[in-house]
């Protein structure tokens, strides 16, 4: 046993020799320091594996080692954050980057990054300015709010609003709205971090105005409403109307706050979606503070938007936590660009990718699927059958969880490899292709594949079927 261990350890190549050999083959064009790290790590990992259980290891020839190194160097040279083709049909896909931005918005990002700007410089007075002023007026124009501030994301928006307005005080929330969003954002936990004391009222399925009324004490400062974005309570249910809650709060001199989550500026019910309150409707109802995400239904960059009454927003603005939660110039540049689109709703629906993906007609989706099928058929039909079928897509981002959008998908039916092999290996491409397996079919839902991405996608799949799908 030990002799086997020892001979395996002795057979491990020397780092310097490997570097020499890699240099000689001249095949890889990477910095020497990177190559050295790769070689050292691979040999160290093998040594540890031998020490742990030599029976599971076998010695490699130097050629085998070289091909291990080369594969790892190629891997290391590629960016870790890769663009990919989203064939899941989930528009606001949190794992795939949520909302994507239009070309004109990404142009703004490049300007913000590549040049100096008036980020915190008032061009009229020549003095220091506020970065928030770049989007505050637009947010007020679009929502009807008196004032606005933007932070890193909606979780931060909820945190800073509660910390400012309700630290050490009581905040009343309905039991039906104690949401967990995922990624460890739970309303009760965020409230605890903010120092606010949570007072739960009502039952999971029903909460009445009198429940709020009876829970108000000397210590109460706020009535909080949380949009139940990612789940539904159905059946015998009731929640208190926003207007009634505002009336009660005004009578008792309390602040009202609403965490809208997805927060849309457009009423999607005109496109056949279930009715959800828009940001404007909540502001109009008289809620003091409203928070929502920048990168969910709004279709912008990651951000947490806080709008509401002037006096309340001013307090939040002067909270020192702002400095810790503040947004950077890229976010501001992208957010301003996306918000400007909303001055003309028809243009916004055309130009903001999230909105156009959510509202594109089934007929256009079918045409897109047919186009992709036609182009793939010409190239890969020897190795893969291609069909199109109708399917359903989801909004994603925790919005409208039970709602399905009729869509179309391209189905790939490989002739010599399994669906699992196909799915896995498309994920490993230099530009990964992410689809889903459903009823023994591999689907690419075309809702989330933009027209200008089709050529690249077809290219990727053609290369894969030409040389990639050799073994199962
Ligand atoms: C998504 C969501 C959040 C968190 O927003 P992020 O922008 O992801 O931080 C908070 N509350 C609700 C109700 C949400 O839907």
């Amino acid at each position: 046993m030990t002799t086997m261990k020892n001979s395996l350890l002795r057979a491990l190549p020397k780092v310097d020799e490997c570097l020499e050999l890699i240099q000689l083959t001249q095949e890889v064009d990477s910095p020497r320091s990177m190559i050295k790290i790769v070689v050292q790590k691979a040999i160290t990992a093998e040594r540890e594996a031998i020490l742990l259980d030599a029976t599971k290891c076998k010695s490699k020839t130097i050629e085998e080692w070289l091909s291990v190194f080369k594969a790892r160097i190629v891997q290391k040279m590629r960016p870790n954050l890769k663009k990919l083709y989203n064939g899941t049909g989930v528009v606001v896909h949190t794992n795939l980057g949520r909302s994507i931005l239009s070309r004109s918005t990404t142009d703004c990002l490049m300007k913000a990054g590549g040049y100096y700007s008036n980020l915190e410089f008032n061009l009229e007075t020549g003095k220091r300015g506020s970065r928030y002023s770049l989007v505050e007026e637009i947010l007020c124009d679009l929502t009807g709010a008196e004032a606005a501030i933007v932070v890193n994301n909606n979780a931060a928006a909820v945190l800073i609003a509660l910390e400012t307005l309700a630290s050490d005080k009581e905040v009343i929330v309905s039991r039906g709205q104690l949401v967990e969003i995922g990624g460890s954002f739970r309303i009760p936990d965020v409230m605890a971090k903010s120092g606010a004391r949570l007072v739960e009222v009502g039952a999971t399925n029903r909460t009445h105005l009198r429940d709020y009324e009876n829970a108000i004490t000397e210590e109460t400062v706020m009535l909080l409403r949380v949009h139940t974005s990612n789940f539904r309570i159905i059946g015998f249910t009731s929640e208190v109307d926003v207007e009634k809650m505002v009336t009660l709060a005004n009578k008792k001199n309390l602040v009202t706050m609403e965490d809208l989550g997805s927060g849309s500026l457009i009423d999607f019910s005109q496109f056949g979606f279930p009715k959800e309150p828009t940001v404007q409707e909540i502001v109009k109802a008289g809620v003091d503070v409203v928070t929502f995400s920048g990168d969910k239904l709004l279709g912008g960059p990651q951000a947490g938007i806080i709008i509401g009454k002037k006096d309340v927003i001013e307090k939040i603005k002067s909270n020192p936590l702002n400095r810790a939660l503040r947004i950077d110039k890229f976010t501001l540049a992208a957010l301003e660009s996306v918000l400007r689109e909303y001055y003309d709703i028809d243009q916004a629906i055309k130009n903001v990718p999230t909105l156009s993906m959510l509202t594109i007609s089934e007929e256009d989706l079918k045409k897109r699927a047919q186009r992709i099928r036609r182009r793939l058929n010409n190239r890969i039909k020897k190795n893969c059958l291609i069909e199109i079928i109708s399917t359903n897509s989801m909004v994603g981002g925790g919005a409208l969880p039970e709602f399905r959008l009729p869509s179309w998908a391209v189905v790939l039916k490989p002739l010599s490899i399994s669906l699992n092999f196909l799915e896995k290996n498309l994920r490993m491409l230099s530009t990964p292709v992410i689809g889903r397996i459903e009823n023994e079919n591999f689907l690419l839902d075309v809702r989330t594949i933009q027209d200008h991405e089709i050529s690249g996608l077809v290219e990727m799949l053609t290369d894969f079927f030409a040389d990639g799908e050799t073994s199962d």
Side-chain angles (χ1 to χ4, degrees):
M1 204 52 204
T2 35
T3 48
M4 177 180 174
K5 199 173 257 186
N6 284 335
S7 71
L8 278 170
L9 287 172
R10 264 198 310 278
L12 286 175
K14 302 272 174 302
V15 172
D16 286 339
E17 286 168 18
C18 296
L19 290 177
E20 207 74 4
L21 280 172
I22 294 170
Q23 219 81 54
L24 281 178
T25 58
Q26 295 270 323
E27 274 175 51
V28 276
D29 179 25
S30 335
R32 193 177 156 83
S33 62
M34 183 200 273
I35 299 175
K36 189 167 171 187
I37 291 168
V38 167
V39 171
Q40 277 171 335
K41 270 198 181 156
I43 296 176
T44 305
E46 186 69 11
R47 179 175 295 117
E48 278 164 10
I50 295 168
L51 291 172
L52 198 68
D53 184 357
T55 59
K56 287 194 183 136
C57 304
K58 67 184 202 346
S59 89
K60 289 188 187 55
T61 65
I62 191 68
E63 286 75 24
E64 284 169 332
W65 274 111
L66 285 177
S67 71
V68 167
F69 298 145
K70 267 175 209 153
R72 294 200 185 172
I73 291 165
V74 168
Q75 201 64 37
K76 213 179 177 64
M77 291 291 282
R78 288 184 184 159
N80 291 330
L81 185 68
K82 297 177 177 65
K83 110 172 188 187
L84 57 75
Y85 297 108
N86 174 8
T88 66
V90 181
V91 177
V92 183
H93 197 307
T94 295
N95 300 145
L96 303 185
R98 282 204 183 153
S99 285
I100 58 171
L101 306 172
S102 68
R103 189 68 58 84
S104 64
T105 297
T106 54
D107 283 349
C108 295
L109 286 178
M110 304 231 273
K111 265 197 211 134
Y115 301 89
Y116 292 108
S117 62
N118 61 334
L119 179 65
E120 287 190 351
F121 183 66
N122 183 323
L123 292 169
E124 276 165 34
T125 63
K127 300 218 170 74
R128 191 193 164 125
S130 153
R131 66 178 63 207
Y132 305 111
S133 62
L134 299 171
V135 289
E136 181 169 19
E137 194 178 312
I138 307 177
L139 278 167
C140 293
D141 288 351
L142 296 174
T143 63
E146 293 171 7
I149 178 171
V150 183
V151 290
N152 194 33
N153 57 18
N154 188 34
V158 174
L159 176 72
I160 194 171
L162 288 173
E163 209 273 343
T164 310
L165 305 168
S167 185
D168 266 336
K169 300 286 185 191
E170 290 177 359
V171 173
I172 304 177
V173 190
S174 159
R175 286 204 169 84
Q177 298 179 356
L178 292 174
V179 187
E180 173 178 317
I181 303 302
S184 79
F185 180 92
R186 279 183 172 175
I187 282 294
D189 299 346
V190 174
M191 290 185 74
K193 283 284 175 203
S194 75
R197 291 201 300 277
L198 167 68
V199 177
E200 301 176 25
V201 296
T204 307
N205 57 331
R206 286 172 76 83
T207 303
H208 308 283
L209 193 64
R210 62 173 184 277
D211 295 323
Y212 288 93
E213 216 159 356
N214 293 339
I216 295 172
T217 70
E218 291 284 284
E219 293 288 291
T220 309
V221 290
M222 179 190 282
L223 304 183
L224 172 65
R225 296 160 51 87
V226 183
H227 189 58
T228 55
S229 322
N230 57 359
F231 71 101
R232 283 284 175 277
I233 299 177
I234 56 166
F236 185 53
T237 66
S238 83
E239 286 286 356
V240 177
D241 284 347
V242 60
E243 286 85 2
K244 286 195 185 127
M245 212 146 116
V246 169
T247 308
L248 174 64
N250 288 344
K251 205 166 78 190
K252 304 278 183 176
N253 224 354
L254 304 173
V255 173
T256 44
M257 170 166 155
E258 174 134 359
D259 170 14
L260 260 181
S262 301
S264 172
L265 297 177
I266 294 179
D267 184 353
F268 278 99
S269 66
Q270 64 186 299
F271 300 103
F273 289 57
K275 173 67 189 158
E276 293 270 343
T278 61
V279 176
Q280 298 91 312
E281 283 162 4
I282 297 299
V283 169
K284 196 160 175 213
V287 174
D288 295 300
V289 197
V290 183
T291 74
F292 57 100
S293 287
D295 55 354
K296 290 184 180 170
L297 290 182
L298 190 75
Q302 179 191 306
I305 297 167
I306 311 175
I307 57 172
K309 302 273 170 63
K310 196 164 179 79
D311 54 333
V312 179
I313 300 295
E314 286 307 322
K315 280 188 202 144
I316 298 173
K317 280 183 182 168
S318 53
N319 187 330
L321 259 184
N322 255 318
R323 181 57 193 251
L325 304 178
R326 81 175 183 189
I327 54 170
D328 69 332
K329 58 186 176 181
F330 296 106
T331 307
L332 272 166
L335 187 61
E336 179 182 359
S337 163
V338 173
L339 287 172
R340 281 189 184 284
E341 299 283 5
Y342 279 90
Y343 279 112
D344 182 341
I345 297 291
D346 294 334
Q347 284 301 312
I349 286 165
K350 242 187 250 152
N351 296 342
V352 177
T354 296
L355 301 184
S356 58
M357 286 180 190
L358 288 173
T359 57
I360 183 174
S361 73
E362 218 184 314
E363 198 188 320
D364 285 343
L365 288 167
K366 186 175 186 182
K367 279 191 203 136
R368 184 183 288 167
Q370 284 168 333
R371 236 177 96 201
I372 297 174
R373 176 181 58 181
R374 207 175 323 116
R375 294 180 57 178
L376 280 174
N377 239 338
N378 292 338
R379 292 152 175 249
I380 66 173
K381 65 168 176 261
K382 269 203 294 241
N383 295 319
C384 183
L385 300 180
I386 301 135
E387 292 168 8
I388 64 169
I389 57 165
S390 64
T391 183
N392 288 300
S393 352
M394 295 202 300
V395 176
L400 300 164
E402 84 283 39
F403 182 58
R404 294 288 176 278
L405 289 156
S407 186
W408 282 86
V410 175
V411 182
L412 301 184
K413 299 190 159 179
L415 298 176
S416 57
I417 57 173
S418 73
L419 287 184
N420 286 325
F421 182 87
L422 175 73
E423 189 272 338
K424 172 164 187 266
N425 283 273
L426 291 183
R427 260 192 281 129
M428 307 304 288
L429 294 175
S430 58
T431 303
V433 178
I434 312 295
R436 63 172 199 265
I437 296 176
E438 196 178 280
N439 304 326
E440 302 294 306
N441 275 328
F442 179 82
L443 305 190
L444 294 173
D445 184 329
V446 301
R447 178 180 299 277
T448 41
I449 296 165
Q450 304 174 93
D451 283 330
H452 66 262
E453 292 177 296
I454 291 176
S455 294
L457 172 68
V458 167
E459 212 61 47
M460 258 303 133
L461 292 172
T462 306
D463 287 351
F464 174 77
F465 281 102
D467 55 37
E469 45 104 29
T470 42
S471 63
D472 206 330

